[in-house]
Amino acid sequence: MTIENISINKSFGGWHKQYTHQSKTLNCDMRFAIYLPPLASNKQKVPVLYWLSGLTCTDENFMHKAGAFRMAAELGIAIVAPDTSPRGTEVPNDDGYDLGQGAGFYVNATQAPWNRHYQMYDYVVNELPALIEDTFPVLNKRAISGHSMGGHGALTIAMLNPEKYSSVSAFSPICNPINCPWGQKAFTAYLGDDKAKWKQHDASELMKQASTFVPAKVDQGQADNFLTEQLKPETLEAAATLSGYPLEYNLHEGYDHSYYFISSFIEQHLTFHAQHLNK
């Protein structure tokens, strides 16, 4: 597969690079970013953390704001950040920020007109890792993390594919999308009215039934404006208690939904993933 490098910047001895490529899964051009730590510059293969961003975001939000590169360089972890949805003039969109372009929700849409392009689950789980592992000096050791909508994506993808990921973490994830406005709007559009299908992409429902565990870490700000209506972390806590899931959940006083919160704790998340990637 041909990919095109569109930017490159040196950071903490490693390299941040942006690429575009033609995605067969999404039927459009896609952009992603990768941070390669110094070890990778010496052709030593390194493990990869996949980062999934939230509503309205692109690959740039995390890479520019999270402050992750110093610790990633020290730990020898590559970071890959895909876009949050398919893009382009031919790709269906919606007037709302919480549906369509910028709001792929990391599911495979089954409903028209979304189903031709909105196959973000397959893109993140299959196409993108295959491209990364074929192109860059990385191992097939993977961890996954994300924020808000991306936290939902990271948790559900890890639990649906426990053999593919060493660990999973999330900041302010949408924990129970079948019971919140963001999730209900997106799932109705992408998956239809059958709520049994919705449960297959609900982190709390999956964690409740889990029997194979991927170590999980979730951090949530107590001053998050979306905490009660949209995020519902108490449902994830209850599910972990029910199934005995190895979930580390931390609630932080005063922190909100922003990248100020993420940048405050991202190094702890990277250290958490390194412990499991290096086992």
Side-chain angles (χ1 to χ4, degrees):
M1 183 182 298
T2 302
I3 67 172
E4 179 184 356
N5 178 236
I6 57 174
S7 76
I8 181 170
N9 304 93
K10 193 169 187 178
S11 182
F12 293 100
W15 295 94
H16 169 267
K17 302 180 180 183
Q18 278 182 311
Y19 291 88
T20 59
H21 74 105
Q22 175 66 32
S23 169
K24 294 182 178 179
T25 302
L26 304 178
N27 293 300
C28 66
D29 288 334
M30 285 294 286
R31 189 176 75 189
F32 69 87
I34 184 169
Y35 177 72
L36 292 166
L39 279 177
S41 297
N42 298 325
K43 305 303 180 185
Q44 181 172 335
K45 290 189 174 184
V46 297
V48 184
L49 172 67
Y50 288 86
W51 173 269
L52 307 182
S53 288
L55 291 167
T56 75
C57 292
T58 68
D59 63 286
E60 294 184 338
N61 295 73
F62 178 83
M63 295 304 210
H64 288 184
K65 298 178 180 179
F69 296 162
R70 184 192 71 81
M71 185 58 75
E74 182 178 317
L75 295 171
I77 297 174
I79 302 174
V80 173
D83 204 344
T84 53
S85 78
R87 307 266 183 179
T89 56
E90 301 300 317
V91 176
N93 202 7
D94 185 81
D95 291 336
Y97 72 92
D98 51 358
L99 185 67
Q101 296 188 34
F105 265 84
Y106 306 103
V107 300
N108 287 339
T110 58
Q111 306 299 301
W114 311 101
N115 54 343
R116 172 166 165 72
H117 297 282
Y118 285 76
Q119 305 293 312
M120 286 298 295
Y121 176 89
D122 278 351
Y123 179 72
V124 169
V125 174
N126 298 313
E127 185 179 23
L128 183 61
L131 173 61
I132 297 299
E133 290 164 17
D134 188 54
T135 307
F136 301 100
V138 300
L139 301 164
N140 62 358
K141 289 185 175 182
R142 308 172 192 165
I144 192 165
S145 185
H147 172 234
S148 194
M149 177 186 72
H152 137 78
L155 289 167
T156 56
I157 284 172
M159 285 187 281
L160 289 167
N161 301 273
E163 75 286 356
K164 293 182 182 291
Y165 300 96
S166 300
S167 51
V168 57
S169 72
F171 290 89
S172 317
I174 303 172
C175 295
N176 192 207
I178 65 173
N179 289 314
C180 80
W182 280 340
Q184 290 167 346
K185 179 177 179 178
F187 285 5
T188 299
Y190 297 147
L191 304 176
D193 295 326
D194 184 355
K195 294 186 178 181
K197 295 179 179 178
W198 296 11
K199 289 184 177 182
Q200 298 170 22
H201 297 281
D202 184 294
S204 295
E205 293 293 327
L206 291 172
M207 190 167 284
K208 190 188 304 180
Q209 301 164 14
S211 57
T212 303
F213 301 146
V214 179
K217 177 180 176 66
V218 171
D219 283 87
Q220 174 63 58
Q222 202 166 5
D224 193 318
N225 290 337
F226 304 112
L227 180 61
T228 302
E229 183 182 21
Q230 302 283 10
L231 305 181
K232 302 184 182 299
E234 68 280 359
T235 64
L236 196 70
E237 282 190 285
T241 299
L242 186 65
S243 65
Y245 204 97
L247 171 66
E248 176 190 335
Y249 175 72
N250 304 295
L251 187 62
H252 301 276
E253 183 180 357
Y255 287 94
D256 59 18
H257 200 70
S258 72
Y259 270 82
Y260 295 109
F261 172 46
I262 295 170
S263 64
S264 298
F265 297 97
I266 188 60
E267 293 194 353
Q268 295 180 13
H269 280 239
L270 289 167
T271 301
F272 166 78
H273 289 298
Q275 291 169 351
H276 294 285
L277 286 165
N278 292 328
K279 282 184 178 179

